[in-house]
Amino acid sequence: MFVIDYIVSMGASVMMPLIFILLGLLLRLSIAKSIKAGLMAGIGFIGLSITVNLMIDSLTPVSHAIVERFGLNLTVLDMGWPAAAAVAMGTRVGALVIPVCVAINILMLYTKTTRILNVDIWNLWHHAFTGSLVAIITNNLWLGVLAAGLNCIVTIVIADRTTADVEKYLNLPGISVPHGFSASFVPAAWLVNAFVDRVPGVRDIKIDTEVIQKRLSILGDPACLGAIIGAILAIIAGVDVKAILQTAITMAAVMTIIPRMAKMLMEGVYPISERIQEIAQSRAGSFGKISIGLDSAVSVGHPVTLSVSMLMIPIMLVLAAIIPGNQFLPFASLTGLPFAFVLVTAVCRGDMFRTLLTGMLTLSLALLIGTSLAPLVTSTAVSTGFSLPHGATSISSVDYAGAMLPWVIIQGFYFKAFGVGLLILCTLLLAVWNRKKILHENQLSAQTDAAGIEAGE
């Protein structure tokens, strides 16, 4: 535990290069290639972190001004994901979550219930968050660990089922996103897609970057789109001209820099990914095509993801004011919304209209879920020694206390043996279903490769 805590305390920007260097060496890449892969992954991740923090620093005063302008007076304070992560990793479940989830990932690879090798170790805090809340309500550490494990399995399966969309629509070949927060919004995106596809007229609405470039050429450029949306947000906030211009330029920079940093990170990922595929093929397809599981930060810079995220800031504040029963005041989590829409953008095939519909549905639910879990989140935070902000009596967050997946798992544990048994059964059935899909896809891939060889001959 001391070793694990020490490594985690170094932060994701140090963990990621170390993990990739170690992976490269274990996969028998040369020392030089392993170090280069690790460094490029680390540099790209640091670049992403700096740019995302720049966005947060710029949008935080704007979000605060919008909150004040709307005059919202709600009782549950938004503590944001950094505080939620600190609470999750500060519990006994948090101390065990990394070895448990790594073991689950390895077991799922060998049982062919996944094709993802998850190296996004830091974001396992999402599973620890669910497990920590369950440990509080059951007063049982091992039930908390079980809840974290179930959360981990479901997240990996969702990431598996979205890998093709991530490759096609986010242009990230060989990459999956087993990020708890991002994955939690995928089922809603599937439902929105299914609904829209069945509504004549509505199903023909399509607003992607290609459409925007054709009809509104200036909006098709990420920099221009970022500047316009940033300026609109600042105008809604009622800030002065100087702040409007600063926000516009910063958002233009963010939407331009993030994709380039993601590309740099991918330079470190590709050698590892290619080597894994070589090993998988040398074993007669025993594993099939394996994807590297990364933080959703690799694609927060997609124009649709960032645009919808920024548009949802004022929309979510309006929703907070009008939804009956809501007591959750979104604030600290608003600038982290891009992480919610990474996989939604992929599942919605890069369509802004469907992604925005999904956002309105999921974030409306997030407000109610955040309100519902606030007493449990508050008691868990207090038990870890977390100091509540001055004047606050109840806290929550969109990430991860406003997500649907942890809420469903936690509700299951309230029903004791019956609920826990049902959760375990559903999770195992989901894993078996994913295995069947994987075997079928491997078979189709093998047939396609064989047909290609015959055509070549």
Side-chain angles (χ1 to χ4, degrees):
M1 288 301 99
F2 173 78
V3 173
I4 291 172
D5 288 343
Y6 181 77
I7 294 173
V8 171
S9 68
M10 291 190 290
S13 60
V14 175
M15 284 173 58
M16 184 169 287
L18 291 178
I19 289 171
F20 274 91
I21 291 171
L22 181 60
L23 265 178
L25 295 174
L26 290 174
L27 295 170
R28 297 185 180 179
L29 283 177
S30 67
I31 295 176
K33 286 185 177 179
S34 299
I35 293 175
K36 179 68 179 295
L39 290 177
M40 293 306 294
I43 292 167
F45 190 83
I46 289 173
L48 282 171
S49 299
I50 292 172
T51 311
V52 170
N53 286 334
L54 174 66
M55 177 183 70
I56 291 172
D57 290 342
S58 178
L59 288 182
T60 295
V62 172
S63 301
H64 188 72
I66 293 175
V67 169
E68 289 186 344
R69 195 170 192 186
F70 274 85
L72 298 180
N73 185 24
L74 302 171
T75 58
V76 179
L77 184 67
D78 183 2
M79 65 175 174
W81 75 262
V87 168
M89 298 304 282
T91 66
R92 292 180 297 165
V93 176
L96 295 169
V97 74
I98 292 177
V100 167
C101 290
V102 169
I104 288 173
N105 190 193
I106 293 171
L107 179 62
M108 291 182 72
L109 280 169
Y110 273 96
T111 56
K112 297 183 178 66
T113 50
T114 189
R115 288 179 297 188
I116 295 174
L117 176 62
N118 185 18
V119 300
D120 184 22
I121 303 298
W122 165 247
N123 280 305
L124 296 178
W125 76 262
H126 290 107
H127 314 322
F129 186 87
T130 303
S132 298
L133 299 190
V134 167
I136 286 288
I137 64 176
T138 62
N139 195 30
N140 188 309
L141 168 64
W142 299 111
L143 286 179
V145 173
L146 172 62
L150 295 176
N151 201 141
C152 176
I153 293 170
V154 176
T155 299
I156 289 176
V157 171
I158 291 174
D160 246 318
R161 292 301 95 213
T162 55
T163 297
D165 292 329
V166 167
E167 180 170 342
K168 183 175 181 180
Y169 298 105
L170 303 185
N171 194 28
L172 295 172
I175 299 302
S176 294
V177 182
H179 185 274
F181 187 44
S182 302
S184 288
F185 289 78
V186 168
W190 284 331
L191 287 174
V192 168
N193 272 342
F195 175 76
V196 172
D197 286 338
R198 287 165 174 76
V199 181
V202 177
R203 64 188 173 205
D204 298 324
I205 299 174
K206 185 178 181 182
I207 309 174
D208 58 16
T209 51
E210 186 177 338
V211 170
I212 293 172
Q213 285 173 345
K214 285 182 179 178
R215 298 186 180 180
L216 297 168
S217 58
I218 190 171
L219 291 178
D221 179 75
C224 293
L225 185 61
I228 291 170
I229 294 178
I232 290 172
L233 281 176
I235 291 170
I236 292 174
V239 297
D240 58 28
V241 175
K242 177 182 177 181
I244 292 173
L245 294 175
Q246 288 175 335
T247 305
I249 297 300
T250 301
M251 290 305 103
V254 165
M255 292 192 72
T256 303
I257 295 172
I258 284 183
R260 298 184 183 184
M261 291 298 102
K263 184 178 179 181
M264 185 173 291
L265 185 149
M266 294 306 299
E267 289 181 28
V269 174
Y270 283 139
I272 304 294
S273 179
E274 289 173 358
R275 180 58 182 154
I276 288 175
Q277 302 310 326
E278 289 174 7
I279 293 174
Q281 290 173 4
S282 69
R283 295 189 177 186
S286 60
F287 287 105
K289 183 180 180 182
I290 295 178
S291 301
I292 303 293
L294 292 179
D295 188 334
S296 55
V298 295
S299 194
V300 291
H302 191 285
V304 170
T305 299
L306 275 182
S307 300
V308 171
S309 301
M310 287 189 276
L311 289 172
M312 281 305 303
I313 291 177
I315 292 174
M316 194 173 183
L317 290 169
V318 172
L319 292 172
I322 65 175
I323 292 178
N326 174 60
Q327 286 299 313
F328 179 56
L329 175 62
F331 173 59
S333 296
L334 292 175
T335 50
L337 292 183
F339 295 94
F341 295 109
V342 168
L343 288 180
V344 173
T345 297
V347 171
C348 291
R349 303 185 285 275
D351 181 62
M352 186 181 293
F353 173 69
R354 296 184 184 215
T355 303
L356 186 59
L357 283 182
T358 304
M360 295 176 70
L361 170 63
T362 52
L363 293 179
S364 296
L365 292 174
L367 292 170
L368 295 175
I369 292 171
T371 299
S372 171
L373 292 182
L376 190 53
V377 173
T378 305
S379 60
T380 305
V382 171
S383 72
T384 63
F386 182 82
S387 298
L388 297 182
H390 178 69
T393 57
S394 186
I395 59 173
S396 193
S397 70
V398 175
D399 180 7
Y400 190 47
M404 288 168 282
L405 176 56
W407 184 82
V408 169
I409 293 173
I410 290 165
Q411 299 312 304
F413 279 83
Y414 277 116
F415 290 93
K416 300 187 178 179
F418 173 77
V420 174
L422 186 60
L423 285 172
I424 293 173
L425 177 62
C426 290
T427 303
L428 291 177
L429 288 175
L430 191 64
V432 170
W433 169 76
N434 195 43
R435 172 184 162 83
K436 289 182 178 179
K437 299 283 286 186
I438 288 171
L439 294 177
H440 179 65
E441 289 161 359
N442 286 348
Q443 185 179 12
L444 290 178
S445 179
Q447 291 173 353
T448 303
D449 292 343
I453 293 173
E454 290 179 5
E457 292 176 350

